[in-house]
Amino acid sequence: MAATELISALLLFLLICSSDISSGEKTRRPQPCKRLVLYFHDILYNGKNAQNATSAIVASPAWGDKTTLAAPNRFGDVVVFDDPITLDNNFRSAPVGRAQGFYLYDKKEVLTAWFGFSFVFNSTRLKGAINFAGADDIMKNTRDLSVVGGTGDFFMTRGLATLTTDAFEDDRYFRLRVDVKLYECF
């Protein structure tokens, strides 16, 4: 008798669970606890612009060099950067911090990169750092990187950063719009 009641209860539970799954209702996504929209500006060193460059090729494949990105698709190039972060898309705006890290071009067939970097803030409004990591499918209009931690105002934060290429000039300059949505804030 107890086994029959247990089986009936289990079947009822499974029926309730399956009806919730098949009801077609979308799962609610959590709302971010903090959101920032920032821009970072990257000027690649080309052998002539040492005064203005904010990034440099530090490793390249055998067929490349350290002043031009390797063809095709820049595969094998590793670039380090220390780029200004601004609140708007104007390069001459006062920076609120620096984007510091690296990206590497990791596919032969398609233009993609892998990023590992931090936004290090130095303003009175924001203190600390936000850490990012992930693949960047450069050819897409928008792409997401993981927010994997932080310090200061962003202690142990997690979230998502949506990148959009806001400007691009050959291999010399690009500007990214970074929409940071934090879902764990302490």
Side-chain angles (χ1 to χ4, degrees):
M1 181 72 180
T4 307
E5 289 176 10
L6 181 62
I7 291 173
S8 297
L10 183 60
L11 288 174
L12 181 62
F13 175 74
L14 290 174
L15 181 65
I16 291 170
C17 288
S18 67
S19 68
D20 284 346
I21 292 170
S22 64
S23 68
E25 288 184 34
K26 290 187 176 181
T27 306
R28 283 186 46 189
R29 289 191 164 192
Q31 293 299 311
C33 51
K34 187 173 239 171
R35 189 168 184 183
L36 303 163
V37 175
L38 302 160
Y39 294 81
F40 82 85
H41 310 263
D42 187 87
I43 302 171
L44 184 64
Y45 174 69
N46 64 9
K48 301 173 190 155
N49 64 345
Q51 293 288 63
N52 296 326
T54 61
S55 64
I57 301 168
V58 295
S60 61
W63 63 89
D65 63 59
K66 292 189 177 135
T67 58
T68 57
L69 293 166
N73 296 321
R74 304 169 183 149
F75 176 72
D77 283 326
V78 178
V79 178
V80 296
F81 60 91
D82 182 17
D83 296 338
I85 307 168
T86 60
L87 294 173
D88 61 23
N89 64 3
N90 186 344
F91 178 72
R92 304 214 185 281
S93 293
V96 295
R98 307 292 292 185
Q100 298 172 327
F102 69 94
Y103 51 94
L104 56 96
Y105 294 99
D106 58 349
K107 274 194 158 181
K108 280 184 159 181
E109 309 82 29
V110 183
L111 182 59
T112 65
W114 194 91
F115 274 88
F117 66 97
S118 298
F119 277 180
V120 181
F121 296 99
N122 61 2
S123 71
T124 55
R125 192 178 127 214
L126 300 169
K127 299 269 189 226
I130 303 174
N131 304 315
F132 305 86
D136 181 6
D137 188 353
I138 298 167
M139 301 310 288
K140 290 186 178 177
N141 288 339
T142 61
R143 51 263 185 217
D144 294 325
L145 294 182
S146 299
V147 174
V148 295
T151 63
D153 293 343
F154 309 100
F155 177 72
M156 292 181 58
T157 194
R158 291 191 185 273
L160 191 67
T162 302
L163 306 179
T164 307
T165 303
D166 192 56
F168 185 83
E169 296 176 22
D170 300 323
D171 289 337
R172 298 177 307 216
Y173 172 79
F174 67 82
R175 177 178 60 234
L176 294 180
R177 179 184 187 273
V178 184
D179 184 359
V180 182
K181 295 169 284 295
L182 304 177
Y183 295 96
E184 286 185 24
C185 303
F186 292 94

